[in-house]
Amino acid sequence: MSYFEKVLIANRGEIARRIIRTCKSLGIRTVAVYSEADANAPFVNEADEAVCVGPSQAKKSYLDIEKIIQAAKETNTDAIHPGYGFLSENPGFVERCEQENITFIGPSAKIMKIMGSKLSAREQMQKANVPVVPGSEGRIKSLEDAVETAESLGYPLMLKASAGGGGIGMKLVHSREELESAFDSTVQQAESYFNDGAVFLEKLITKPRHIEVQVVADHASNVVHLFERECSVQRRNQKIVEESPSPFLDEDMRTRLLEAAVRGVKEIGYTNAGTMEFIFDEDGNFYFLEMNTRLQVEHPVTEEITGLDLVEWQLKIASGEQLPLAQADIQKQGHAIECRLYAEDPESFFPSPGKLTTLQLPEEKVRLDFGVEEGSNVSPFYDPMIGKIIVHGPNRREAIANMKQVLSQIEVEGLTTNLALLERIMENEDFVHGDYTTQFIKSLGLEG
């Protein structure tokens, strides 16, 4: 069955290639949009049609809503898949798609707005009896309000932008003096980056683990989870290694987490694929962090343990179909790990764009979702991820062994990468024993 005649992919790199792959398997034609910097990128050649939408700078191409809408109209596109990043969580983009009668493969603009604000998301989760991190009730209106609230909560605290993401608009404060110093600058950063100066306070969770739940919902209010992903290996609040199942959870904790995620999704009336993100403390208590109203970078981890194609599910739901499977029919098998290979210094994490003069990759025991090939340029204009390395094994020990073997076979020349860091992580005893938190990279003596 063909769900759409033609899908435009409002993205680039590996996720564009990933979406093209599923569309081709379903007989759906694809349209790539690309910037001048990506004119010779593999995803452009793999799509059935391609439209240049502007210069290399993202704000003049991949973030230009009207140019992408125009490309969709010119190519008679039925639907737009946003991938992740760029416009994937922009409710204004969803509204423009609706105005032009183009199906947006994702949730509604209304839901995106609700969950795009950390404050309103907290309120919705509290209604659904999903635990949230202890913090301020609503927006902090002034420095005086912040100081008074902080005194009642107790330090240390996180000062957060309501519309923040990717670690932007977050500040750790240990005292009244630090709060007074950080307040105005955090509000200004929030206004500058997100056009929303709302901030709030949350208690700092010490020794935290970042665990998320993949959820999918259809327009008939059916909701399922596709289990959890452990995402605690991070640098600068950005993930490097993801795995599933989480080595931290016992079955009781897992059941409570998955039930809470589904409960929260039902409360807001969500549709399509999304991710509920949680933080765990060292005692096993969990709290809702935020919801990503899109496909995640790390979705292949879930696909590997379930054998399902999440992009296909997204297309089915967007075309009006109900969920392909009920919860009882979704099973997990074995263990999967994903490593993100970045063009960056493995210690400072500073980007290292350039030409991939050599890129030799193994072909066995691995899934490779890469946006580039040997001879490609890794552009300085976008995220420096080269690709994702995903392995599966019957258990965690064998999955780690498979990843170590695969990493040892990769050859990259022409630019600096974090390959050595990934190998170091797989060898680390704390990681091998599943005993790690979001402070893991800092524990290696790196900037994290």
Side-chain angles (χ1 to χ4, degrees):
M1 175 181 178
S2 179
Y3 312 107
F4 299 104
E5 291 288 329
K6 189 183 293 186
V7 170
L8 181 144
I9 302 156
N11 219 295
R12 63 179 297 279
E14 70 85 16
I15 188 58
R17 299 182 84 183
R18 166 72 189 87
I19 297 164
I20 289 169
R21 189 164 69 243
T22 289
C23 285
K24 282 188 174 180
S25 73
L26 298 173
I28 300 171
R29 291 180 60 80
T30 54
V31 178
V33 293
Y34 64 94
S35 71
E36 292 174 358
D38 283 335
N40 298 312
F43 78 93
V44 176
N45 297 322
E46 290 168 357
D48 294 297
E49 299 175 60
V51 180
C52 181
V53 288
S56 303
Q57 295 89 343
K59 66 179 181 180
K60 296 181 179 180
S61 51
Y62 297 111
L63 290 172
D64 191 318
I65 292 175
E66 292 309 316
K67 286 182 180 178
I68 292 175
I69 291 293
Q70 185 60 34
K73 293 168 67 175
E74 289 176 356
T75 55
N76 295 314
T77 293
D78 303 303
I80 292 178
H81 196 305
Y84 54 74
F86 293 130
L87 295 170
S88 63
E89 294 180 281
N90 186 315
F93 183 46
V94 182
E95 289 169 345
R96 284 293 290 119
C97 289
E98 292 171 353
Q99 291 166 6
E100 298 295 342
N101 201 29
I102 299 169
T103 300
F104 178 82
I105 301 172
S108 68
K110 177 184 177 181
I111 296 300
M112 200 174 279
K113 287 177 183 177
I114 291 171
M115 301 312 286
S117 162
K118 288 182 171 62
L119 281 170
S120 64
R122 278 173 61 92
E123 293 171 2
Q124 292 296 321
M125 292 305 104
Q126 287 173 311
K127 288 180 183 178
N129 197 29
V130 175
V132 299
V133 179
S136 56
E137 292 298 323
R139 175 178 185 165
I140 297 290
K141 298 177 182 177
S142 65
L143 175 57
E144 292 73 21
D145 185 16
V147 170
E148 183 179 340
T149 302
E151 293 298 329
S152 65
L153 290 170
Y155 295 96
L157 294 164
M158 294 298 298
L159 179 62
K160 291 186 173 184
S162 176
I168 299 171
M170 292 173 54
K171 186 72 175 179
L172 172 61
V173 293
H174 294 90
S175 65
R176 174 172 177 165
E177 291 73 24
E178 288 188 10
L179 177 58
E180 290 175 340
S181 174
F183 187 79
D184 287 341
S185 62
T186 303
V187 171
Q188 290 169 7
Q189 186 180 44
E191 290 175 342
S192 174
Y193 276 88
F194 311 113
N195 198 33
D196 180 355
V199 296
F200 65 104
L201 286 166
E202 280 185 346
K203 284 287 289 182
L204 176 70
I205 304 298
T206 57
K207 297 182 180 179
R209 296 187 74 123
H210 185 162
I211 303 175
E212 62 190 26
V213 178
Q214 177 69 63
V215 291
V216 192
D218 63 25
H219 293 275
S221 300
N222 299 306
V223 181
V224 296
H225 67 75
L226 303 183
F227 307 102
E228 84 281 357
R229 295 184 291 256
E230 171 85 53
C231 304
S232 298
V233 180
Q234 305 176 1
R235 51 64 165 143
R236 296 176 178 170
N237 297 301
Q238 292 289 325
K239 303 158 189 172
I240 304 175
V241 177
E242 302 99 352
E243 62 177 310
S244 184
S246 166
F248 178 69
L249 301 182
D250 60 31
E251 283 309 308
D252 176 64
M253 293 162 63
R254 178 171 289 110
T255 297
R256 289 188 289 112
L257 173 68
L258 299 177
E259 287 177 350
V262 170
R263 201 162 59 241
V265 171
K266 288 182 176 179
E267 173 68 29
I268 60 174
Y270 191 81
T271 55
N272 217 272
T275 301
M276 298 282 279
E277 303 210 4
F278 296 86
I279 192 167
F280 276 73
D281 65 22
E282 56 188 323
D283 297 320
N285 302 305
F286 65 85
Y287 307 96
F288 172 80
L289 268 183
E290 63 181 352
M291 184 179 195
N292 291 127
T293 55
R294 53 170 169 78
L295 195 65
Q296 292 279 86
V297 177
E298 59 272 21
H299 75 274
V301 172
T302 296
E303 293 183 328
E304 290 301 305
I305 65 162
T306 61
L308 303 173
D309 184 330
L310 280 173
V311 175
E312 182 177 351
W313 278 43
Q314 287 189 290
L315 292 164
K316 287 182 176 181
I317 292 165
S319 66
E321 288 194 22
Q322 293 191 19
L323 291 175
L325 295 173
Q327 188 68 70
D329 299 320
I330 301 169
Q331 303 296 321
K332 66 176 186 290
Q333 292 189 337
H335 198 97
I337 302 174
E338 173 180 290
C339 287
R340 302 190 192 185
L341 182 64
Y342 283 101
E344 65 183 17
D345 185 279
E347 295 187 2
S348 69
F349 306 114
F350 195 79
S352 174
K355 185 175 182 178
L356 280 164
T357 56
T358 300
L359 181 60
Q360 296 295 317
L361 302 171
E363 297 181 358
E364 298 180 352
K365 295 184 179 180
V366 66
R367 167 178 167 177
L368 299 165
D369 284 18
F370 274 54
V372 293
E373 299 170 338
E374 188 171 276
S376 295
N377 283 305
V378 176
S379 172
F381 295 101
Y382 317 113
D383 183 89
M385 188 170 72
I386 297 171
K388 303 181 303 197
I389 305 153
I390 310 104
V391 301
H392 183 271
N395 53 55
R396 188 170 186 268
R397 179 180 57 81
E398 293 194 39
I400 291 174
N402 288 342
M403 182 62 80
K404 287 163 67 175
Q405 180 182 344
V406 166
L407 292 175
S408 71
Q409 296 173 343
I410 295 175
E411 294 182 32
V412 186
E413 295 178 3
L415 39 70
T416 304
T417 76
N418 67 336
L419 180 59
L421 173 60
L422 298 176
E423 293 181 298
R424 182 180 174 187
I425 292 169
M426 291 301 123
E427 295 283 355
N428 182 274
E429 286 192 14
D430 288 337
F431 180 82
V432 170
H433 292 129
D435 184 19
Y436 62 92
T437 71
T438 57
Q439 301 303 304
F440 175 76
I441 292 296
K442 285 187 178 179
S443 74
L444 300 180
L446 303 175
E447 291 186 10

